[in-house]
Amino acid sequence: WLKIAINFRFCGILLIDSQLKEAMATKLSGMPAFLTDKNNPVGYCVQGAIEFGMDSRRLIQRCTKPDAKEFKKIAVACAIGFSIMGFIGYTVKLVFIPINNIIVGGS
């Protein structure tokens, strides 16, 4: 069981266990009732902020730094995208300059 948990940890997969849920329950038990009730507008905002914090923490823990190969692949894909968008913009501008001169009427 421990070996499986360690393998999941190294793969970047975070398992939400009952200990995390119990810790949240104990934190929420110390709060007034209107802050933990989702039907109350203040409680809705507080619960939303707590859930957002938990989800953000989970996301940061799951994220891993890309290795050199993955970084190069992302950089090449971005460069190709920038080049394609630049070419399209240049072509559109090149086509519309004469059209604009015809519409406006060059002297």
Side-chain angles (χ1 to χ4, degrees):
W1 171 252
L2 181 62
K3 187 175 182 180
I4 293 172
I6 290 172
N7 286 339
F8 275 121
R9 196 108 167 110
F10 285 125
C11 291
I13 299 171
L14 176 68
L15 298 176
I16 301 173
D17 55 348
S18 61
Q19 292 177 351
L20 180 63
K21 290 179 184 178
E22 289 173 11
M24 273 308 295
T26 57
K27 284 183 181 179
L28 292 178
S29 66
M31 297 176 110
F34 73 95
L35 291 178
T36 58
D37 184 17
K38 276 208 160 193
N39 294 326
N40 188 345
V42 176
Y44 183 79
C45 292
V46 169
Q47 289 298 313
I50 290 172
E51 290 174 7
F52 176 75
M54 288 176 51
D55 292 341
S56 299
R57 184 170 184 236
R58 194 174 321 135
L59 175 70
I60 296 298
Q61 287 177 344
R62 286 183 88 172
C63 292
T64 58
K65 186 175 179 181
D67 58 349
K69 183 179 178 184
E70 186 179 6
F71 179 78
K72 186 176 180 183
K73 186 185 287 187
I74 292 170
V76 167
C78 289
I80 291 171
F82 273 109
S83 301
I84 290 172
M85 293 302 291
F87 180 74
I88 290 171
Y90 178 74
T91 306
V92 167
K93 185 72 172 177
L94 196 63
V95 168
F96 278 102
I97 288 174
I99 293 173
N100 192 20
N101 286 337
I102 292 170
I103 293 172
V104 174
S107 308

